[in-house]
Amino acid sequence: MASITYEDACCVYPGADKLAVDSLNLDIADGEFVVLVGPSGSGKSTALRMLAGLEEIDSGAISIGGRSMVGVAPKDRDIAMVFQNYALYPNKTVGENMGFALKMRGVPVAERTAKVADAAKLLDLTEYLDRKPANLSGGQRQRVAMGRAIVREPQVFCMDEPLSNLDAKLRVQTRTQIAALQRRLGTTTVYVTHDQVEAMTMGDRVAVLKFGQLQQFASPAELYDRPRNAFVAGFIGSPAMNLFTAPVSDGAIAVGGGTVDLDDDTAALLRGTGLSRVTVGIRPESLALADAEGVSSEVALLEDLGSDTFLYAGLKDPDVTTLDGTPVTLVARCPRRTPARIGDGVRLRQTDRAVHLFDPESGERLN
C-alpha cells in the first residue's frame, strides 16, 4: 500500500513570519494521481518537498502506506522525484542516466539493463538509449527523467512542475503521456503545477492551495461545478469565472439595469442571508449575446480561437464591482465569427441558471 496522509502538516522557513504550509490535511489513496495547484507562493512545492523529505516537517505528520515519515531520511522513503530541471548527467547516455540509481544500489548489470529496456519501451525511448542528453529534444529529456524514476519502481512518484520548460504544444503532448503512463503503472503520484488546465486534465483529484492553506480538495468536475469559495471559483477555469459583487434587494441581484436570473431556491436562500451585497460567479459559457434584453456592456476585446470566440465586455454599472473594487469586465463564450467588434455596445444574457453565490466578506460559498 502506498497511500499518503498529511495530518496537520506545517512547515515554516527560518526567518519567515508566516507558515509556508499551514496545517495541511490530505488523504491520498493508493494508486491515485493527485495534483497540487495554486499561484506562486501558495506552498505547493513545499508540500511536495515535505513528502519527499527535502523539507523538515515543523509540526504535524506525513505518512506513506501507514508508516510515519517524520525523521525518515529521503533515501529511505522509497520515493522517486522528477524535477522541473531534468538534472541529467551530460556525459552519460540515456541508458546510463536511466540506470544510474540502480547502479548505485548495486543492482546486477543484467537486471539493470532489463529494467532500463522495459522503461525505455514504455516511454518510446528505445532508439535513443545510446544518445547523450545534448542530442535529445526537451520532451525526450523529460521522458528520460521520467524513465530514471520508473526503473526504481518506487512507492510514490513526486513531480515538481516537470513540464514548465517545454513549449506549449509539447506540454499538451507530454502531459497526456504522463497521465496515461501513471494509469498503466498504478503508482501513487503527487504532481505540482501552477497551471490549472494541467491540473484539471491530469489529476484524479486536485488540491487547491493559497498562502499555504488548503482551499479545496476534490475531483476536477467538483472544483469546476461547486467551488468552495471565491478564490477557487476564480482560479479554476479558463477563461476564469466572471466574479463580481452586486447589490441585493429582496432576493434579487441588480446588475446593469436588469437582474441575475436565479432559481426559486437560490433566491429564497439569498433572502435568508440578509446580505445587502453578494459576490456572484457566472462561467463564460453561461453568458451569450442578446438582441434586446440583458446586461448593457461595451466590447473591450475579442479572442477568436477558431471553434469559439471569447468576448470581453466592460459592464456599465458603477454599483457592480470586482472583488478588489474595480470596474467589471464580463467574459462570454460566443459562437465562432461573432459579429461584434471592439467598441460596440452589446447586451449579454444568461443561458442558464448556473449561478454561484459567495459571501462578499469571507468568500465562502452560499448556495
PDB file of all heavy atoms in Angstrom, residues 4 20 28 36 40 42 50 52 79 115 125 135 141 151 180 183-184 203 206 217-218 266 284 297 299 309 331-332 363:
ATOM      1  N   ILE A   4      -1.051   7.995   1.013  1.00  0.00           N
ATOM      2  CA  ILE A   4      -0.313   9.109   1.614  1.00  0.00           C
ATOM      3  C   ILE A   4      -1.278   9.911   2.475  1.00  0.00           C
ATOM      4  O   ILE A   4      -2.403  10.198   2.060  1.00  0.00           O
ATOM      5  CB  ILE A   4       0.297  10.017   0.526  1.00  0.00           C
ATOM      6  CG1 ILE A   4       1.292   9.222  -0.332  1.00  0.00           C
ATOM      7  CG2 ILE A   4       0.985  11.232   1.151  1.00  0.00           C
ATOM      8  CD1 ILE A   4       1.736   9.963  -1.580  1.00  0.00           C
ATOM      9  N   ALA A  20       4.874  28.381   5.494  1.00  0.00           N
ATOM     10  CA  ALA A  20       4.863  28.078   4.064  1.00  0.00           C
ATOM     11  C   ALA A  20       3.761  27.071   3.747  1.00  0.00           C
ATOM     12  O   ALA A  20       3.120  27.130   2.698  1.00  0.00           O
ATOM     13  CB  ALA A  20       6.216  27.540   3.624  1.00  0.00           C
ATOM     14  N   ILE A  28      -4.577  10.667   0.437  1.00  0.00           N
ATOM     15  CA  ILE A  28      -4.372  10.270  -0.955  1.00  0.00           C
ATOM     16  C   ILE A  28      -4.387   8.747  -1.025  1.00  0.00           C
ATOM     17  O   ILE A  28      -3.622   8.081  -0.331  1.00  0.00           O
ATOM     18  CB  ILE A  28      -3.043  10.833  -1.487  1.00  0.00           C
ATOM     19  CG1 ILE A  28      -3.046  12.373  -1.393  1.00  0.00           C
ATOM     20  CG2 ILE A  28      -2.800  10.378  -2.923  1.00  0.00           C
ATOM     21  CD1 ILE A  28      -1.700  13.015  -1.671  1.00  0.00           C
ATOM     22  N   LEU A  36      -1.295  19.096  -6.897  1.00  0.00           N
ATOM     23  CA  LEU A  36      -1.283  20.271  -6.035  1.00  0.00           C
ATOM     24  C   LEU A  36      -1.144  21.490  -6.924  1.00  0.00           C
ATOM     25  O   LEU A  36      -0.181  21.594  -7.689  1.00  0.00           O
ATOM     26  CB  LEU A  36      -0.119  20.218  -5.040  1.00  0.00           C
ATOM     27  CG  LEU A  36       0.027  18.960  -4.176  1.00  0.00           C
ATOM     28  CD1 LEU A  36       1.202  19.118  -3.211  1.00  0.00           C
ATOM     29  CD2 LEU A  36      -1.245  18.669  -3.406  1.00  0.00           C
ATOM     30  N   SER A  40       1.955  31.223  -7.439  1.00  0.00           N
ATOM     31  CA  SER A  40       3.298  31.237  -6.866  1.00  0.00           C
ATOM     32  C   SER A  40       3.221  31.624  -5.391  1.00  0.00           C
ATOM     33  O   SER A  40       2.492  32.541  -5.010  1.00  0.00           O
ATOM     34  CB  SER A  40       4.179  32.245  -7.616  1.00  0.00           C
ATOM     35  OG  SER A  40       4.347  31.853  -8.956  1.00  0.00           O
ATOM     36  N   SER A  42       2.119  29.632  -2.997  1.00  0.00           N
ATOM     37  CA  SER A  42       0.980  29.004  -2.318  1.00  0.00           C
ATOM     38  C   SER A  42       1.392  27.831  -1.425  1.00  0.00           C
ATOM     39  O   SER A  42       0.587  27.328  -0.659  1.00  0.00           O
ATOM     40  CB  SER A  42      -0.050  28.530  -3.342  1.00  0.00           C
ATOM     41  OG  SER A  42       0.514  27.551  -4.202  1.00  0.00           O
ATOM     42  N   MET A  50       8.174  18.321   1.441  1.00  0.00           N
ATOM     43  CA  MET A  50       7.971  17.737   2.769  1.00  0.00           C
ATOM     44  C   MET A  50       7.715  16.236   2.643  1.00  0.00           C
ATOM     45  O   MET A  50       8.212  15.434   3.438  1.00  0.00           O
ATOM     46  CB  MET A  50       6.801  18.419   3.472  1.00  0.00           C
ATOM     47  CG  MET A  50       7.077  19.859   3.886  1.00  0.00           C
ATOM     48  SD  MET A  50       5.558  20.755   4.292  1.00  0.00           S
ATOM     49  CE  MET A  50       5.037  19.917   5.792  1.00  0.00           C
ATOM     50  N   ALA A  52       8.762  14.325   0.222  1.00  0.00           N
ATOM     51  CA  ALA A  52       9.995  13.678  -0.229  1.00  0.00           C
ATOM     52  C   ALA A  52      11.101  13.711   0.815  1.00  0.00           C
ATOM     53  O   ALA A  52      12.135  13.052   0.643  1.00  0.00           O
ATOM     54  CB  ALA A  52      10.474  14.345  -1.520  1.00  0.00           C
ATOM     55  N   ILE A  79      10.739   6.920  -2.620  1.00  0.00           N
ATOM     56  CA  ILE A  79      10.079   7.917  -3.460  1.00  0.00           C
ATOM     57  C   ILE A  79      11.010   8.258  -4.618  1.00  0.00           C
ATOM     58  O   ILE A  79      12.217   8.359  -4.445  1.00  0.00           O
ATOM     59  CB  ILE A  79       9.768   9.198  -2.643  1.00  0.00           C
ATOM     60  CG1 ILE A  79       8.545   8.968  -1.750  1.00  0.00           C
ATOM     61  CG2 ILE A  79       9.534  10.401  -3.527  1.00  0.00           C
ATOM     62  CD1 ILE A  79       8.217  10.125  -0.849  1.00  0.00           C
ATOM     63  N   LYS A 115      15.542  -3.664 -16.743  1.00  0.00           N
ATOM     64  CA  LYS A 115      14.635  -2.633 -16.226  1.00  0.00           C
ATOM     65  C   LYS A 115      14.683  -1.374 -17.100  1.00  0.00           C
ATOM     66  O   LYS A 115      13.654  -0.758 -17.392  1.00  0.00           O
ATOM     67  CB  LYS A 115      15.005  -2.287 -14.784  1.00  0.00           C
ATOM     68  CG  LYS A 115      14.606  -3.355 -13.770  1.00  0.00           C
ATOM     69  CD  LYS A 115      15.010  -2.928 -12.364  1.00  0.00           C
ATOM     70  CE  LYS A 115      14.592  -3.960 -11.327  1.00  0.00           C
ATOM     71  NZ  LYS A 115      13.133  -4.010 -11.145  1.00  0.00           N
ATOM     72  N   LEU A 125      11.614   5.357 -25.889  1.00  0.00           N
ATOM     73  CA  LEU A 125      12.989   5.860 -25.874  1.00  0.00           C
ATOM     74  C   LEU A 125      14.006   4.807 -26.309  1.00  0.00           C
ATOM     75  O   LEU A 125      15.207   5.049 -26.248  1.00  0.00           O
ATOM     76  CB  LEU A 125      13.360   6.337 -24.463  1.00  0.00           C
ATOM     77  CG  LEU A 125      12.690   7.613 -23.963  1.00  0.00           C
ATOM     78  CD1 LEU A 125      13.003   7.828 -22.480  1.00  0.00           C
ATOM     79  CD2 LEU A 125      13.132   8.825 -24.771  1.00  0.00           C
ATOM     80  N   ASN A 135      21.804  15.544 -27.384  1.00  0.00           N
ATOM     81  CA  ASN A 135      21.273  15.190 -28.696  1.00  0.00           C
ATOM     82  C   ASN A 135      19.781  14.855 -28.662  1.00  0.00           C
ATOM     83  O   ASN A 135      19.266  14.249 -29.593  1.00  0.00           O
ATOM     84  CB  ASN A 135      22.050  13.996 -29.264  1.00  0.00           C
ATOM     85  CG  ASN A 135      23.521  14.300 -29.453  1.00  0.00           C
ATOM     86  OD1 ASN A 135      23.877  15.400 -29.871  1.00  0.00           O
ATOM     87  ND2 ASN A 135      24.379  13.350 -29.130  1.00  0.00           N
ATOM     88  N   ARG A 141      14.155  14.586 -23.244  1.00  0.00           N
ATOM     89  CA  ARG A 141      14.898  14.680 -21.981  1.00  0.00           C
ATOM     90  C   ARG A 141      13.961  14.491 -20.787  1.00  0.00           C
ATOM     91  O   ARG A 141      14.324  13.847 -19.801  1.00  0.00           O
ATOM     92  CB  ARG A 141      15.599  16.031 -21.875  1.00  0.00           C
ATOM     93  CG  ARG A 141      16.724  16.222 -22.870  1.00  0.00           C
ATOM     94  CD  ARG A 141      17.335  17.598 -22.728  1.00  0.00           C
ATOM     95  NE  ARG A 141      18.159  17.925 -23.880  1.00  0.00           N
ATOM     96  CZ  ARG A 141      18.749  19.098 -24.066  1.00  0.00           C
ATOM     97  NH1 ARG A 141      18.600  20.058 -23.171  1.00  0.00           N
ATOM     98  NH2 ARG A 141      19.485  19.318 -25.134  1.00  0.00           N
ATOM     99  N   VAL A 151      12.344   3.193 -13.390  1.00  0.00           N
ATOM    100  CA  VAL A 151      13.150   1.976 -13.209  1.00  0.00           C
ATOM    101  C   VAL A 151      13.347   1.640 -11.733  1.00  0.00           C
ATOM    102  O   VAL A 151      13.594   0.488 -11.378  1.00  0.00           O
ATOM    103  CB  VAL A 151      14.531   2.088 -13.898  1.00  0.00           C
ATOM    104  CG1 VAL A 151      14.374   2.225 -15.398  1.00  0.00           C
ATOM    105  CG2 VAL A 151      15.352   3.232 -13.332  1.00  0.00           C
ATOM    106  N   ALA A 180      -1.344   8.984 -18.919  1.00  0.00           N
ATOM    107  CA  ALA A 180      -1.592   7.622 -19.405  1.00  0.00           C
ATOM    108  C   ALA A 180      -0.608   6.634 -18.776  1.00  0.00           C
ATOM    109  O   ALA A 180      -0.972   5.513 -18.396  1.00  0.00           O
ATOM    110  CB  ALA A 180      -1.492   7.580 -20.924  1.00  0.00           C
ATOM    111  N   ARG A 183      -1.470   5.761 -15.155  1.00  0.00           N
ATOM    112  CA  ARG A 183      -2.596   4.825 -15.061  1.00  0.00           C
ATOM    113  C   ARG A 183      -2.161   3.401 -15.399  1.00  0.00           C
ATOM    114  O   ARG A 183      -2.680   2.432 -14.847  1.00  0.00           O
ATOM    115  CB  ARG A 183      -3.746   5.296 -15.952  1.00  0.00           C
ATOM    116  CG  ARG A 183      -4.521   6.449 -15.303  1.00  0.00           C
ATOM    117  CD  ARG A 183      -5.327   7.284 -16.306  1.00  0.00           C
ATOM    118  NE  ARG A 183      -6.077   8.335 -15.635  1.00  0.00           N
ATOM    119  CZ  ARG A 183      -5.551   9.464 -15.179  1.00  0.00           C
ATOM    120  NH1 ARG A 183      -4.264   9.693 -15.306  1.00  0.00           N
ATOM    121  NH2 ARG A 183      -6.307  10.376 -14.588  1.00  0.00           N
ATOM    122  N   ARG A 184      -1.193   3.262 -16.292  1.00  0.00           N
ATOM    123  CA  ARG A 184      -0.676   1.933 -16.621  1.00  0.00           C
ATOM    124  C   ARG A 184       0.131   1.356 -15.471  1.00  0.00           C
ATOM    125  O   ARG A 184       0.038   0.167 -15.152  1.00  0.00           O
ATOM    126  CB  ARG A 184       0.190   2.009 -17.875  1.00  0.00           C
ATOM    127  CG  ARG A 184      -0.598   2.233 -19.158  1.00  0.00           C
ATOM    128  CD  ARG A 184       0.318   2.415 -20.355  1.00  0.00           C
ATOM    129  NE  ARG A 184       1.126   1.235 -20.635  1.00  0.00           N
ATOM    130  CZ  ARG A 184       2.063   1.184 -21.575  1.00  0.00           C
ATOM    131  NH1 ARG A 184       2.314   2.266 -22.310  1.00  0.00           N
ATOM    132  NH2 ARG A 184       2.738   0.074 -21.778  1.00  0.00           N
ATOM    133  N   GLY A 203      -5.283  15.225 -13.100  1.00  0.00           N
ATOM    134  CA  GLY A 203      -5.487  14.676 -11.774  1.00  0.00           C
ATOM    135  C   GLY A 203      -6.776  13.903 -11.588  1.00  0.00           C
ATOM    136  O   GLY A 203      -7.814  14.264 -12.139  1.00  0.00           O
ATOM    137  N   VAL A 206      -7.727  17.104  -7.231  1.00  0.00           N
ATOM    138  CA  VAL A 206      -6.876  18.296  -7.258  1.00  0.00           C
ATOM    139  C   VAL A 206      -6.988  19.007  -5.917  1.00  0.00           C
ATOM    140  O   VAL A 206      -8.091  19.229  -5.409  1.00  0.00           O
ATOM    141  CB  VAL A 206      -7.289  19.250  -8.391  1.00  0.00           C
ATOM    142  CG1 VAL A 206      -6.416  20.507  -8.395  1.00  0.00           C
ATOM    143  CG2 VAL A 206      -7.212  18.543  -9.745  1.00  0.00           C
ATOM    144  N   PHE A 217     -10.137  20.225  -1.874  1.00  0.00           N
ATOM    145  CA  PHE A 217      -9.532  19.002  -2.386  1.00  0.00           C
ATOM    146  C   PHE A 217     -10.658  18.153  -2.952  1.00  0.00           C
ATOM    147  O   PHE A 217     -11.479  17.609  -2.212  1.00  0.00           O
ATOM    148  CB  PHE A 217      -8.802  18.265  -1.261  1.00  0.00           C
ATOM    149  CG  PHE A 217      -8.063  17.028  -1.684  1.00  0.00           C
ATOM    150  CD1 PHE A 217      -7.404  16.968  -2.914  1.00  0.00           C
ATOM    151  CD2 PHE A 217      -7.997  15.919  -0.853  1.00  0.00           C
ATOM    152  CE1 PHE A 217      -6.713  15.835  -3.298  1.00  0.00           C
ATOM    153  CE2 PHE A 217      -7.303  14.783  -1.223  1.00  0.00           C
ATOM    154  CZ  PHE A 217      -6.670  14.737  -2.447  1.00  0.00           C
ATOM    155  N   ALA A 218     -10.738  18.071  -4.270  1.00  0.00           N
ATOM    156  CA  ALA A 218     -11.886  17.426  -4.904  1.00  0.00           C
ATOM    157  C   ALA A 218     -11.530  17.017  -6.321  1.00  0.00           C
ATOM    158  O   ALA A 218     -10.446  17.309  -6.826  1.00  0.00           O
ATOM    159  CB  ALA A 218     -13.088  18.370  -4.910  1.00  0.00           C
ATOM    160  N   THR A 266     -32.545  29.330  -4.750  1.00  0.00           N
ATOM    161  CA  THR A 266     -31.402  30.214  -4.560  1.00  0.00           C
ATOM    162  C   THR A 266     -31.858  31.603  -4.129  1.00  0.00           C
ATOM    163  O   THR A 266     -31.244  32.227  -3.254  1.00  0.00           O
ATOM    164  CB  THR A 266     -30.570  30.306  -5.856  1.00  0.00           C
ATOM    165  OG1 THR A 266     -30.152  28.998  -6.241  1.00  0.00           O
ATOM    166  CG2 THR A 266     -29.347  31.175  -5.660  1.00  0.00           C
ATOM    167  N   PRO A 284     -18.164  31.775 -18.232  1.00  0.00           N
ATOM    168  CA  PRO A 284     -18.318  32.380 -19.565  1.00  0.00           C
ATOM    169  C   PRO A 284     -19.305  31.639 -20.459  1.00  0.00           C
ATOM    170  O   PRO A 284     -20.009  32.274 -21.257  1.00  0.00           O
ATOM    171  CB  PRO A 284     -16.899  32.317 -20.139  1.00  0.00           C
ATOM    172  CG  PRO A 284     -16.018  32.382 -18.939  1.00  0.00           C
ATOM    173  CD  PRO A 284     -16.747  31.598 -17.875  1.00  0.00           C
ATOM    174  N   SER A 297     -23.333  46.459 -21.928  1.00  0.00           N
ATOM    175  CA  SER A 297     -21.874  46.465 -21.793  1.00  0.00           C
ATOM    176  C   SER A 297     -21.239  46.899 -23.110  1.00  0.00           C
ATOM    177  O   SER A 297     -21.922  47.056 -24.125  1.00  0.00           O
ATOM    178  CB  SER A 297     -21.372  45.078 -21.387  1.00  0.00           C
ATOM    179  OG  SER A 297     -21.807  44.100 -22.324  1.00  0.00           O
ATOM    180  N   VAL A 299     -17.893  46.122 -25.789  1.00  0.00           N
ATOM    181  CA  VAL A 299     -16.865  45.141 -26.145  1.00  0.00           C
ATOM    182  C   VAL A 299     -15.475  45.760 -25.994  1.00  0.00           C
ATOM    183  O   VAL A 299     -15.176  46.802 -26.580  1.00  0.00           O
ATOM    184  CB  VAL A 299     -17.060  44.636 -27.584  1.00  0.00           C
ATOM    185  CG1 VAL A 299     -15.965  43.638 -27.943  1.00  0.00           C
ATOM    186  CG2 VAL A 299     -18.435  43.998 -27.744  1.00  0.00           C
ATOM    187  N   THR A 309     -15.357  32.020 -29.819  1.00  0.00           N
ATOM    188  CA  THR A 309     -14.833  33.365 -29.620  1.00  0.00           C
ATOM    189  C   THR A 309     -15.176  33.795 -28.203  1.00  0.00           C
ATOM    190  O   THR A 309     -16.331  33.697 -27.781  1.00  0.00           O
ATOM    191  CB  THR A 309     -15.437  34.363 -30.616  1.00  0.00           C
ATOM    192  OG1 THR A 309     -15.047  34.005 -31.943  1.00  0.00           O
ATOM    193  CG2 THR A 309     -14.956  35.782 -30.330  1.00  0.00           C
ATOM    194  N   VAL A 331     -16.863  38.099 -19.332  1.00  0.00           N
ATOM    195  CA  VAL A 331     -16.386  37.262 -20.430  1.00  0.00           C
ATOM    196  C   VAL A 331     -17.508  36.317 -20.826  1.00  0.00           C
ATOM    197  O   VAL A 331     -18.100  35.657 -19.978  1.00  0.00           O
ATOM    198  CB  VAL A 331     -15.147  36.442 -20.019  1.00  0.00           C
ATOM    199  CG1 VAL A 331     -14.601  35.664 -21.217  1.00  0.00           C
ATOM    200  CG2 VAL A 331     -14.074  37.338 -19.427  1.00  0.00           C
ATOM    201  N   ALA A 332     -17.814  36.279 -22.128  1.00  0.00           N
ATOM    202  CA  ALA A 332     -18.859  35.390 -22.643  1.00  0.00           C
ATOM    203  C   ALA A 332     -18.282  34.535 -23.755  1.00  0.00           C
ATOM    204  O   ALA A 332     -17.495  35.016 -24.582  1.00  0.00           O
ATOM    205  CB  ALA A 332     -20.038  36.201 -23.172  1.00  0.00           C
ATOM    206  N   GLY A 363     -15.840  35.130   1.428  1.00  0.00           N
ATOM    207  CA  GLY A 363     -15.611  34.453   0.160  1.00  0.00           C
ATOM    208  C   GLY A 363     -16.157  33.037   0.120  1.00  0.00           C
ATOM    209  O   GLY A 363     -16.061  32.355  -0.919  1.00  0.00           O
TER     210      GLY A 363
END
